[in-house]
Amino acid sequence: MKMTSAPALRARQHARLVAPRPGDVLLCSSIGPSGEVIALWAAEEATSDACVTVQARGTTTTTPIAWRPVAFPSVQPLPDGKVLVVGARCRWRPEGPERNAIVYDARGSAVLEQTLGDGISHVLTTPRGEVWVGYFDEGVYGNYGWGNRDSAPPVGRHGLSRWSSDLDLRWQYPAGEWGAISSCYALNVHDDTAWAYYYTDFPVVRVDGDTVTGWHNDVSGASALAVDGSTVAFFGGYGPDQDKLITTVPLENRLLVTGEHRVVQPDGRPLPGSARVVGRGGELNFLVEDRWLRLSVQDLPRP
């Protein structure tokens, strides 16, 4: 589905990410379960010297951590001031796989390490500290030593999993009538409910507890989704559609398109391709370098 002359929607400026110390470099940022922005920073010349900041409701907390570098990190908050850092890539080795998930306590000490698998595309926590993980194709089918005849099967072979706050595996996606996940394109976690959108047929599924409900869908290639009431909004797409936003509503077991737009920055400029977009509930969060932009489903024009 290609958009050519769709009307523009301006994301609103919400806040700026503030470096905790002069010279700190932003390694990654994301959105926590309460709508807060969480960011991982490191001193430019000493990557072992790192801090995590959490910005919410006009306040910022900073926690120095005993940083153990992981490949392509993502960061999420956990209860009691703890922080979870997960690396997207993880090698299997005969002597034991790399541990690409590290929990830091409120004082910044590493207190737990675990292997969440290779090929991780999304990590989002819940208010209770459960950890939802979505995997892209290499995490599902195997790479970096996973999935060979003489090695372990990929941890992410089901495409979507839920872990406890102690990083014990609690649930894996059962496929069923909606088909297997080859690559989890988008994940939205709000309270204790997760919404996933995945390749190859791009259904949308809602996981509430261990119960899966799904809808067929004609929108392909999106990278984020927001859900508010009966509206499901998709952001992103292939090639020139990377800034598209499509709204849908369910009718029986299928989502029907109700609107098409493109998202721009508050000043009307296009969003850069480097923008990280995270859906939490009905909010799309655009992390553009040190700027935090938002667009709510409630902001969208009604059909």
Side-chain angles (χ1 to χ4, degrees):
M1 183 176 297
K2 184 176 180 181
M3 296 191 341
T4 54
S5 58
L9 286 174
R10 298 193 182 207
R12 64 184 186 277
Q13 177 75 31
H14 187 67
R16 281 193 175 271
L17 280 64
V18 179
R21 303 164 303 188
D24 275 350
V25 175
L26 179 63
L27 299 183
C28 64
S29 57
S30 190
I31 305 297
S34 299
E36 71 274 40
V37 66
I38 182 168
L40 175 64
W41 308 79
E44 188 169 4
E45 297 181 359
T47 55
S48 62
D49 183 11
C51 287
V52 172
T53 58
V54 177
Q55 292 179 228
R57 300 179 181 88
T59 64
T60 301
T61 60
T62 300
T63 304
I65 63 172
W67 169 234
R68 302 183 186 182
V70 294
F72 307 105
S74 58
V75 62
Q76 281 287 284
L78 290 172
D80 302 320
K82 294 179 180 178
V83 171
L84 171 67
V85 177
V86 178
R89 308 312 308 248
C90 169
R91 292 184 181 274
W92 183 89
R93 296 190 175 102
E95 63 272 20
E98 293 179 335
R99 295 184 177 271
N100 61 328
I102 304 170
V103 174
Y104 298 89
D105 66 16
R107 296 186 301 273
S109 299
V111 294
L112 178 62
E113 295 185 9
Q114 181 59 282
T115 300
L116 298 192
D118 181 49
I120 291 175
S121 51
H122 307 280
V123 180
L124 294 174
T125 57
T126 72
R128 295 190 300 161
E130 291 184 314
V131 182
W132 285 90
V133 182
Y135 299 82
F136 59 86
D137 53 359
E138 293 181 23
V140 174
Y141 296 107
N143 197 357
Y144 287 110
W146 297 93
N148 297 330
R149 181 176 299 178
D150 57 351
S151 68
V155 176
R157 60 192 179 276
H158 294 269
L160 179 67
S161 59
R162 185 178 70 235
W163 306 70
S164 72
S165 59
D166 293 327
L167 302 186
D168 294 323
L169 181 60
R170 294 293 174 84
W171 182 87
Q172 292 175 299
Y173 187 65
E177 66 176 298
W178 300 104
I181 297 176
S182 290
S183 183
C184 184
Y185 269 46
L187 179 66
N188 184 320
V189 176
H190 181 62
D191 293 333
D192 294 320
T193 301
W195 298 75
Y197 161 84
Y198 61 87
Y199 187 83
T200 57
D201 292 333
F202 294 109
V204 171
V205 296
R206 180 184 66 210
V207 186
D208 193 356
D210 294 343
T211 301
V212 178
T213 307
W215 294 265
H216 298 292
N217 167 54
D218 296 322
V219 179
S220 61
S223 56
L225 74 158
V227 183
D228 190 331
S230 62
T231 300
V232 179
F234 299 88
F235 174 81
Y238 297 123
D241 290 335
Q242 66 176 7
D243 62 352
K244 73 179 179 181
L245 187 144
I246 295 180
T247 54
T248 66
V249 296
L251 180 63
E252 297 180 348
N253 67 346
R254 177 168 292 276
L255 296 175
L256 300 182
V257 172
T258 59
E260 301 181 2
H261 299 82
R262 62 184 182 89
V263 180
V264 298
Q265 299 186 65
D267 60 4
R269 289 181 299 153
L271 285 167
S274 59
R276 172 168 169 73
V277 188
V278 181
R280 282 286 199 171
E283 294 277 352
L284 287 169
N285 299 269
F286 302 87
L287 300 168
V288 184
E289 297 177 343
D290 66 342
R291 290 179 298 133
W292 178 11
L293 313 179
R294 272 185 165 181
L295 187 65
S296 172
V297 169
Q298 294 183 356
D299 298 335
L300 306 181
R302 299 299 176 184

